[in-house]
């Protein structure tokens, strides 16, 4: 897990290494959230972005993210949603070749 205090810091880290998922609040001290998300999608389109809103009102900002959770979400909901996004990104789990060979000989 990496933590960034600003959008500029996040963009620097994203340019130097890949990440599995970006989790951010909607308000950033140095940039609009749309700027950060567009940067992420331009450089690593497959990276899921999850935004957390401090408002219960629907966001009027059209931001291309995989998930936007509004104030009042349960932490368990956030974890479940992240697990789902990561499993979609990884794809289905596959058996190791040794396990496949064992299954063939048992048939």
């Amino acid at each position: 897990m990496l933590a960034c205090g600003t959008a500029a810091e996040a963009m620097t880290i994203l340019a130097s290494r890949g990440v599995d998922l970006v989790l951010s609040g909607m308000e950033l001290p140095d940039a609009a959230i749309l700027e950060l998300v567009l940067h992420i999608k331009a450089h690593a389109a497959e990276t899921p972005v999850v935004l957390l809103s401090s408002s219960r009102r629907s966001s009027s900002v059209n931001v291309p993210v995989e998930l936007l959770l509004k104030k009042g979400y349960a932490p368990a909901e956030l974890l479940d949603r992240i697990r789902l996004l990561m499993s979609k990104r990884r794809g289905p789990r596959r058996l190791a070749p040794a396990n496949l060979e064992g299954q063939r000989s048992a048939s």
Side-chain angles (χ1 to χ4, degrees):
M1 182 171 83
L2 302 169
C4 302
T6 65
E9 186 181 354
M11 288 184 218
T12 300
I13 289 173
L14 291 167
S16 67
R17 63 193 305 169
V19 296
D20 294 324
L21 180 131
V22 173
L23 176 66
S24 176
M26 293 285 291
E27 293 82 27
L28 301 172
D30 63 335
I33 190 62
L34 181 59
E35 181 183 350
L36 176 61
V37 171
L38 292 177
H39 177 86
I40 293 165
K41 295 303 180 181
H43 293 87
E46 71 286 349
T47 301
V49 177
V50 176
L51 296 180
L52 305 176
S53 174
S54 61
S55 172
R56 288 184 188 269
R57 290 180 275 143
S58 60
S59 174
S60 60
V61 179
N62 188 10
V63 183
V65 298
E66 284 67 27
L67 178 61
L68 170 62
L69 286 177
K70 295 178 180 65
K71 185 177 184 175
Y73 65 86
E77 178 185 6
L78 174 61
L79 289 174
D80 287 345
R81 299 283 188 99
I82 288 173
R83 284 185 189 113
L84 180 62
L85 285 170
M86 296 311 298
S87 69
K88 285 181 181 178
R89 185 165 186 227
R90 280 191 303 265
R93 293 183 185 224
R94 301 178 195 272
L95 292 174
N99 291 343
L100 291 175
E101 289 175 19
Q103 286 181 348
R104 284 189 205 126
S105 63
S107 315

